[in-house]
Amino acid sequence: MTTSTDLHRIAVFCASRPGLDDALTKAAYDAGNWLASHGIGVVYGGGGSGLMGSVSSGALDAGGEVIGVIPQSMIDREWGRHDITELHVVDTMHERKALMAQYADAFLVLPGGLGTLEELFEVWTWRTLGYHDKPIGLLDVGDFWQPTLAAVQAMVAQDFVADRTLADLVVGTTMDEVVENLRRKAR
């Protein structure tokens, strides 16, 4: 096992649902497993299903640290996972994201839905405004993120988003590629 000295924990944002493509579920499991195998803890939304459940299972199966942060309303719906290293129950989604950001040295975004998009854009906006300096990466499994990137490129073309903001985002198709580039940006 290789231990990272610069990225101790990465917050992972992804779907709470499994979606239709089993390759995305496998990629989520593999991402969690890769992080734990490389000595990097996982901070995630605390859920036990969907891609979130797969990420946490992959990390746990590799003996890794898994920290979940979940709102009480989701615990009440029995969406939480209790067999992880730490589970923090908060009141709101805002508190959830703030605590996840506090624990993490970087952010990794896997495929997901509206919540995942919201998490991506919030931490990206925070970085752009200088609220944190933690790098953000997309694991672009099967070109999942290409439509989103095309939309942001259209915003750049209209000068609503600076070129450097788009260039600041790490995008890769493998964990090796994404995490190495997150490490470079974290220095």
Side-chain angles (χ1 to χ4, degrees), residues 34-75:
W34 190 101
L35 291 167
S37 296
H38 288 79
I40 301 171
V42 171
V43 179
Y44 86 116
S49 61
L51 299 192
M52 270 202 261
S54 296
V55 166
S56 59
S57 290
L60 290 170
D61 287 352
E65 175 189 51
V66 179
I67 298 173
V69 183
I70 191 167
Q72 181 63 52
S73 64
M74 292 181 180
I75 290 289

mmCIF file of all heavy atoms in Angstrom, residues 34-75:
data_model
loop_
_atom_site.group_PDB
_atom_site.id
_atom_site.type_symbol
_atom_site.label_atom_id
_atom_site.label_comp_id
_atom_site.label_asym_id
_atom_site.label_seq_id
_atom_site.Cartn_x
_atom_site.Cartn_y
_atom_site.Cartn_z
ATOM 1 N N TRP A 34 -9.610 2.056 -4.694
ATOM 2 C CA TRP A 34 -8.337 2.668 -5.097
ATOM 3 C C TRP A 34 -7.868 3.658 -4.028
ATOM 4 O O TRP A 34 -6.704 3.639 -3.630
ATOM 5 C CB TRP A 34 -8.501 3.370 -6.442
ATOM 6 C CG TRP A 34 -7.219 3.816 -7.061
ATOM 7 C CD1 TRP A 34 -6.529 3.200 -8.068
ATOM 8 C CD2 TRP A 34 -6.457 4.998 -6.735
ATOM 9 N NE1 TRP A 34 -5.387 3.905 -8.375
ATOM 10 C CE2 TRP A 34 -5.318 5.011 -7.573
ATOM 11 C CE3 TRP A 34 -6.613 6.022 -5.827
ATOM 12 C CZ2 TRP A 34 -4.356 6.024 -7.519
ATOM 13 C CZ3 TRP A 34 -5.655 7.024 -5.758
ATOM 14 C CH2 TRP A 34 -4.544 7.023 -6.600
ATOM 15 N N LEU A 35 -8.770 4.517 -3.585
ATOM 16 C CA LEU A 35 -8.403 5.509 -2.578
ATOM 17 C C LEU A 35 -7.890 4.832 -1.312
ATOM 18 O O LEU A 35 -6.816 5.160 -0.804
ATOM 19 C CB LEU A 35 -9.583 6.426 -2.264
ATOM 20 C CG LEU A 35 -9.988 7.387 -3.386
ATOM 21 C CD1 LEU A 35 -11.346 8.026 -3.090
ATOM 22 C CD2 LEU A 35 -8.927 8.441 -3.616
ATOM 23 N N ALA A 36 -8.642 3.869 -0.793
ATOM 24 C CA ALA A 36 -8.231 3.187 0.432
ATOM 25 C C ALA A 36 -6.919 2.431 0.236
ATOM 26 O O ALA A 36 -6.052 2.449 1.114
ATOM 27 C CB ALA A 36 -9.331 2.237 0.885
ATOM 28 N N SER A 37 -6.745 1.803 -0.908
ATOM 29 C CA SER A 37 -5.517 1.052 -1.197
ATOM 30 C C SER A 37 -4.296 1.948 -1.280
ATOM 31 O O SER A 37 -3.172 1.484 -1.127
ATOM 32 C CB SER A 37 -5.667 0.282 -2.508
ATOM 33 O OG SER A 37 -6.683 -0.681 -2.390
ATOM 34 N N HIS A 38 -4.533 3.226 -1.528
ATOM 35 C CA HIS A 38 -3.447 4.205 -1.609
ATOM 36 C C HIS A 38 -3.356 5.079 -0.350
ATOM 37 O O HIS A 38 -2.732 6.129 -0.365
ATOM 38 C CB HIS A 38 -3.609 5.062 -2.868
ATOM 39 C CG HIS A 38 -3.305 4.310 -4.122
ATOM 40 N ND1 HIS A 38 -4.206 3.442 -4.701
ATOM 41 C CD2 HIS A 38 -2.189 4.257 -4.881
ATOM 42 C CE1 HIS A 38 -3.677 2.900 -5.772
ATOM 43 N NE2 HIS A 38 -2.443 3.367 -5.904
ATOM 44 N N GLY A 39 -4.019 4.638 0.712
ATOM 45 C CA GLY A 39 -3.905 5.332 1.990
ATOM 46 C C GLY A 39 -4.654 6.644 2.075
ATOM 47 O O GLY A 39 -4.343 7.482 2.920
ATOM 48 N N ILE A 40 -5.659 6.817 1.230
ATOM 49 C CA ILE A 40 -6.443 8.048 1.224
ATOM 50 C C ILE A 40 -7.837 7.749 1.772
ATOM 51 O O ILE A 40 -8.546 6.881 1.250
ATOM 52 C CB ILE A 40 -6.547 8.643 -0.200
ATOM 53 C CG1 ILE A 40 -5.151 8.928 -0.751
ATOM 54 C CG2 ILE A 40 -7.409 9.897 -0.195
ATOM 55 C CD1 ILE A 40 -5.131 9.317 -2.226
ATOM 56 N N GLY A 41 -8.224 8.467 2.814
ATOM 57 C CA GLY A 41 -9.544 8.286 3.392
ATOM 58 C C GLY A 41 -10.631 8.858 2.509
ATOM 59 O O GLY A 41 -10.405 9.794 1.735
ATOM 60 N N VAL A 42 -11.811 8.286 2.630
ATOM 61 C CA VAL A 42 -12.981 8.723 1.864
ATOM 62 C C VAL A 42 -13.918 9.494 2.785
ATOM 63 O O VAL A 42 -14.270 9.011 3.865
ATOM 64 C CB VAL A 42 -13.723 7.515 1.253
ATOM 65 C CG1 VAL A 42 -15.059 7.926 0.651
ATOM 66 C CG2 VAL A 42 -12.852 6.809 0.220
ATOM 67 N N VAL A 43 -14.298 10.671 2.348
ATOM 68 C CA VAL A 43 -15.347 11.454 3.009
ATOM 69 C C VAL A 43 -16.490 11.489 1.999
ATOM 70 O O VAL A 43 -16.291 11.862 0.843
ATOM 71 C CB VAL A 43 -14.874 12.891 3.322
ATOM 72 C CG1 VAL A 43 -15.987 13.678 3.989
ATOM 73 C CG2 VAL A 43 -13.617 12.867 4.183
ATOM 74 N N TYR A 44 -17.678 11.086 2.424
ATOM 75 C CA TYR A 44 -18.785 11.021 1.469
ATOM 76 C C TYR A 44 -20.095 11.305 2.178
ATOM 77 O O TYR A 44 -20.113 11.544 3.382
ATOM 78 C CB TYR A 44 -18.775 9.663 0.739
ATOM 79 C CG TYR A 44 -19.488 8.555 1.464
ATOM 80 C CD1 TYR A 44 -20.620 7.958 0.918
ATOM 81 C CD2 TYR A 44 -19.060 8.113 2.718
ATOM 82 C CE1 TYR A 44 -21.289 6.937 1.585
ATOM 83 C CE2 TYR A 44 -19.722 7.107 3.383
ATOM 84 C CZ TYR A 44 -20.846 6.520 2.815
ATOM 85 O OH TYR A 44 -21.509 5.526 3.474
ATOM 86 N N GLY A 45 -21.188 11.255 1.434
ATOM 87 C CA GLY A 45 -22.487 11.657 1.943
ATOM 88 C C GLY A 45 -23.159 10.734 2.931
ATOM 89 O O GLY A 45 -24.282 11.004 3.355
ATOM 90 N N GLY A 46 -22.515 9.626 3.313
ATOM 91 C CA GLY A 46 -23.028 8.775 4.370
ATOM 92 C C GLY A 46 -24.105 7.783 3.976
ATOM 93 O O GLY A 46 -24.599 7.047 4.823
ATOM 94 N N GLY A 47 -24.468 7.744 2.696
ATOM 95 C CA GLY A 47 -25.521 6.833 2.252
ATOM 96 C C GLY A 47 -25.028 5.413 2.039
ATOM 97 O O GLY A 47 -23.841 5.176 1.836
ATOM 98 N N GLY A 48 -25.973 4.494 2.053
ATOM 99 C CA GLY A 48 -25.630 3.095 1.873
ATOM 100 C C GLY A 48 -26.067 2.512 0.552
ATOM 101 O O GLY A 48 -25.848 1.332 0.293
ATOM 102 N N SER A 49 -26.672 3.318 -0.308
ATOM 103 C CA SER A 49 -27.158 2.792 -1.579
ATOM 104 C C SER A 49 -26.542 3.562 -2.746
ATOM 105 O O SER A 49 -25.840 4.550 -2.556
ATOM 106 C CB SER A 49 -28.689 2.881 -1.641
ATOM 107 O OG SER A 49 -29.098 4.232 -1.541
ATOM 108 N N GLY A 50 -26.834 3.099 -3.936
ATOM 109 C CA GLY A 50 -26.364 3.769 -5.141
ATOM 110 C C GLY A 50 -24.854 3.789 -5.244
ATOM 111 O O GLY A 50 -24.152 2.960 -4.659
ATOM 112 N N LEU A 51 -24.355 4.772 -5.987
ATOM 113 C CA LEU A 51 -22.913 4.889 -6.149
ATOM 114 C C LEU A 51 -22.244 5.243 -4.825
ATOM 115 O O LEU A 51 -21.107 4.834 -4.570
ATOM 116 C CB LEU A 51 -22.567 5.925 -7.225
ATOM 117 C CG LEU A 51 -23.078 5.650 -8.644
ATOM 118 C CD1 LEU A 51 -22.423 6.589 -9.639
ATOM 119 C CD2 LEU A 51 -22.914 4.216 -9.065
ATOM 120 N N MET A 52 -22.958 5.972 -3.954
ATOM 121 C CA MET A 52 -22.411 6.279 -2.631
ATOM 122 C C MET A 52 -22.109 4.994 -1.867
ATOM 123 O O MET A 52 -21.041 4.847 -1.275
ATOM 124 C CB MET A 52 -23.398 7.118 -1.813
ATOM 125 C CG MET A 52 -23.245 8.594 -1.986
ATOM 126 S SD MET A 52 -23.956 9.449 -0.568
ATOM 127 C CE MET A 52 -25.531 9.902 -1.240
ATOM 128 N N GLY A 53 -23.043 4.077 -1.878
ATOM 129 C CA GLY A 53 -22.831 2.802 -1.211
ATOM 130 C C GLY A 53 -21.678 2.029 -1.820
ATOM 131 O O GLY A 53 -20.901 1.381 -1.104
ATOM 132 N N SER A 54 -21.544 2.100 -3.135
ATOM 133 C CA SER A 54 -20.456 1.400 -3.818
ATOM 134 C C SER A 54 -19.098 1.984 -3.464
ATOM 135 O O SER A 54 -18.140 1.243 -3.227
ATOM 136 C CB SER A 54 -20.672 1.444 -5.335
ATOM 137 O OG SER A 54 -21.850 0.742 -5.675
ATOM 138 N N VAL A 55 -18.988 3.314 -3.434
ATOM 139 C CA VAL A 55 -17.727 3.963 -3.055
ATOM 140 C C VAL A 55 -17.332 3.532 -1.651
ATOM 141 O O VAL A 55 -16.186 3.134 -1.397
ATOM 142 C CB VAL A 55 -17.842 5.500 -3.129
ATOM 143 C CG1 VAL A 55 -16.670 6.176 -2.418
ATOM 144 C CG2 VAL A 55 -17.906 5.965 -4.572
ATOM 145 N N SER A 56 -18.282 3.611 -0.713
ATOM 146 C CA SER A 56 -17.961 3.265 0.669
ATOM 147 C C SER A 56 -17.620 1.783 0.804
ATOM 148 O O SER A 56 -16.689 1.426 1.532
ATOM 149 C CB SER A 56 -19.093 3.673 1.612
ATOM 150 O OG SER A 56 -20.313 3.044 1.268
ATOM 151 N N SER A 57 -18.317 0.916 0.096
ATOM 152 C CA SER A 57 -18.006 -0.518 0.142
ATOM 153 C C SER A 57 -16.615 -0.798 -0.389
ATOM 154 O O SER A 57 -15.863 -1.588 0.191
ATOM 155 C CB SER A 57 -19.035 -1.325 -0.656
ATOM 156 O OG SER A 57 -20.285 -1.314 -0.008
ATOM 157 N N GLY A 58 -16.260 -0.164 -1.496
ATOM 158 C CA GLY A 58 -14.926 -0.356 -2.060
ATOM 159 C C GLY A 58 -13.839 0.057 -1.092
ATOM 160 O O GLY A 58 -12.840 -0.647 -0.921
ATOM 161 N N ALA A 59 -14.032 1.191 -0.435
ATOM 162 C CA ALA A 59 -13.039 1.676 0.529
ATOM 163 C C ALA A 59 -12.975 0.761 1.758
ATOM 164 O O ALA A 59 -11.889 0.413 2.222
ATOM 165 C CB ALA A 59 -13.350 3.108 0.940
ATOM 166 N N LEU A 60 -14.123 0.363 2.270
ATOM 167 C CA LEU A 60 -14.146 -0.519 3.438
ATOM 168 C C LEU A 60 -13.513 -1.873 3.120
ATOM 169 O O LEU A 60 -12.764 -2.425 3.928
ATOM 170 C CB LEU A 60 -15.577 -0.703 3.943
ATOM 171 C CG LEU A 60 -16.215 0.521 4.600
ATOM 172 C CD1 LEU A 60 -17.705 0.288 4.826
ATOM 173 C CD2 LEU A 60 -15.511 0.870 5.900
ATOM 174 N N ASP A 61 -13.803 -2.404 1.941
ATOM 175 C CA ASP A 61 -13.240 -3.702 1.556
ATOM 176 C C ASP A 61 -11.720 -3.661 1.457
ATOM 177 O O ASP A 61 -11.061 -4.690 1.616
ATOM 178 C CB ASP A 61 -13.837 -4.181 0.228
ATOM 179 C CG ASP A 61 -15.281 -4.652 0.369
ATOM 180 O OD1 ASP A 61 -15.782 -4.761 1.515
ATOM 181 O OD2 ASP A 61 -15.919 -4.906 -0.678
ATOM 182 N N ALA A 62 -11.165 -2.480 1.212
ATOM 183 C CA ALA A 62 -9.705 -2.323 1.162
ATOM 184 C C ALA A 62 -9.133 -1.910 2.517
ATOM 185 O O ALA A 62 -7.953 -1.590 2.628
ATOM 186 C CB ALA A 62 -9.326 -1.304 0.088
ATOM 187 N N GLY A 63 -9.971 -1.872 3.535
ATOM 188 C CA GLY A 63 -9.509 -1.526 4.879
ATOM 189 C C GLY A 63 -9.319 -0.051 5.115
ATOM 190 O O GLY A 63 -8.597 0.350 6.036
ATOM 191 N N GLY A 64 -9.979 0.784 4.322
ATOM 192 C CA GLY A 64 -9.786 2.224 4.409
ATOM 193 C C GLY A 64 -10.688 2.925 5.396
ATOM 194 O O GLY A 64 -11.661 2.366 5.906
ATOM 195 N N GLU A 65 -10.333 4.173 5.645
ATOM 196 C CA GLU A 65 -11.130 5.059 6.482
ATOM 197 C C GLU A 65 -12.285 5.602 5.645
ATOM 198 O O GLU A 65 -12.070 6.073 4.531
ATOM 199 C CB GLU A 65 -10.261 6.226 6.967
ATOM 200 C CG GLU A 65 -11.040 7.264 7.742
ATOM 201 C CD GLU A 65 -10.223 8.509 8.025
ATOM 202 O OE1 GLU A 65 -9.634 9.080 7.074
ATOM 203 O OE2 GLU A 65 -10.180 8.914 9.198
ATOM 204 N N VAL A 66 -13.498 5.544 6.195
ATOM 205 C CA VAL A 66 -14.677 6.066 5.509
ATOM 206 C C VAL A 66 -15.452 6.931 6.499
ATOM 207 O O VAL A 66 -15.947 6.435 7.513
ATOM 208 C CB VAL A 66 -15.576 4.944 4.965
ATOM 209 C CG1 VAL A 66 -16.808 5.532 4.288
ATOM 210 C CG2 VAL A 66 -14.805 4.045 3.996
ATOM 211 N N ILE A 67 -15.551 8.211 6.180
ATOM 212 C CA ILE A 67 -16.271 9.166 7.012
ATOM 213 C C ILE A 67 -17.511 9.609 6.250
ATOM 214 O O ILE A 67 -17.413 10.150 5.146
ATOM 215 C CB ILE A 67 -15.392 10.381 7.356
ATOM 216 C CG1 ILE A 67 -14.170 9.935 8.159
ATOM 217 C CG2 ILE A 67 -16.203 11.428 8.124
ATOM 218 C CD1 ILE A 67 -13.162 11.029 8.397
ATOM 219 N N GLY A 68 -18.668 9.381 6.841
ATOM 220 C CA GLY A 68 -19.923 9.788 6.231
ATOM 221 C C GLY A 68 -20.500 10.995 6.937
ATOM 222 O O GLY A 68 -20.371 11.125 8.156
ATOM 223 N N VAL A 69 -21.126 11.866 6.163
ATOM 224 C CA VAL A 69 -21.794 13.043 6.711
ATOM 225 C C VAL A 69 -23.193 13.087 6.088
ATOM 226 O O VAL A 69 -23.318 13.160 4.860
ATOM 227 C CB VAL A 69 -21.027 14.353 6.404
ATOM 228 C CG1 VAL A 69 -21.722 15.540 7.060
ATOM 229 C CG2 VAL A 69 -19.574 14.257 6.845
ATOM 230 N N ILE A 70 -24.206 13.024 6.928
ATOM 231 C CA ILE A 70 -25.565 12.880 6.407
ATOM 232 C C ILE A 70 -26.552 13.689 7.263
ATOM 233 O O ILE A 70 -26.405 13.750 8.492
ATOM 234 C CB ILE A 70 -25.953 11.375 6.366
ATOM 235 C CG1 ILE A 70 -27.244 11.138 5.592
ATOM 236 C CG2 ILE A 70 -26.003 10.773 7.758
ATOM 237 C CD1 ILE A 70 -27.481 9.671 5.263
ATOM 238 N N PRO A 71 -27.536 14.313 6.634
ATOM 239 C CA PRO A 71 -28.563 15.025 7.404
ATOM 240 C C PRO A 71 -29.486 14.054 8.156
ATOM 241 O O PRO A 71 -29.733 12.932 7.690
ATOM 242 C CB PRO A 71 -29.353 15.788 6.339
ATOM 243 C CG PRO A 71 -28.454 15.855 5.156
ATOM 244 C CD PRO A 71 -27.651 14.590 5.201
ATOM 245 N N GLN A 72 -29.983 14.500 9.285
ATOM 246 C CA GLN A 72 -30.886 13.678 10.105
ATOM 247 C C GLN A 72 -32.094 13.204 9.298
ATOM 248 O O GLN A 72 -32.544 12.071 9.465
ATOM 249 C CB GLN A 72 -31.355 14.478 11.330
ATOM 250 C CG GLN A 72 -32.275 13.692 12.258
ATOM 251 C CD GLN A 72 -31.599 12.487 12.884
ATOM 252 O OE1 GLN A 72 -30.530 12.613 13.455
ATOM 253 N NE2 GLN A 72 -32.214 11.318 12.782
ATOM 254 N N SER A 73 -32.624 14.056 8.423
ATOM 255 C CA SER A 73 -33.807 13.663 7.644
ATOM 256 C C SER A 73 -33.541 12.425 6.791
ATOM 257 O O SER A 73 -34.441 11.617 6.553
ATOM 258 C CB SER A 73 -34.269 14.822 6.757
ATOM 259 O OG SER A 73 -33.271 15.139 5.799
ATOM 260 N N MET A 74 -32.290 12.249 6.357
ATOM 261 C CA MET A 74 -31.954 11.065 5.573
ATOM 262 C C MET A 74 -31.750 9.845 6.474
ATOM 263 O O MET A 74 -32.061 8.725 6.073
ATOM 264 C CB MET A 74 -30.721 11.331 4.715
ATOM 265 C CG MET A 74 -31.000 12.336 3.628
ATOM 266 S SD MET A 74 -29.547 12.616 2.620
ATOM 267 C CE MET A 74 -30.192 13.807 1.463
ATOM 268 N N ILE A 75 -31.267 10.063 7.663
ATOM 269 C CA ILE A 75 -31.182 8.972 8.648
ATOM 270 C C ILE A 75 -32.593 8.488 8.980
ATOM 271 O O ILE A 75 -32.850 7.286 9.066
ATOM 272 C CB ILE A 75 -30.440 9.433 9.933
ATOM 273 C CG1 ILE A 75 -28.962 9.653 9.639
ATOM 274 C CG2 ILE A 75 -30.646 8.448 11.076
ATOM 275 C CD1 ILE A 75 -28.167 8.393 9.395
#
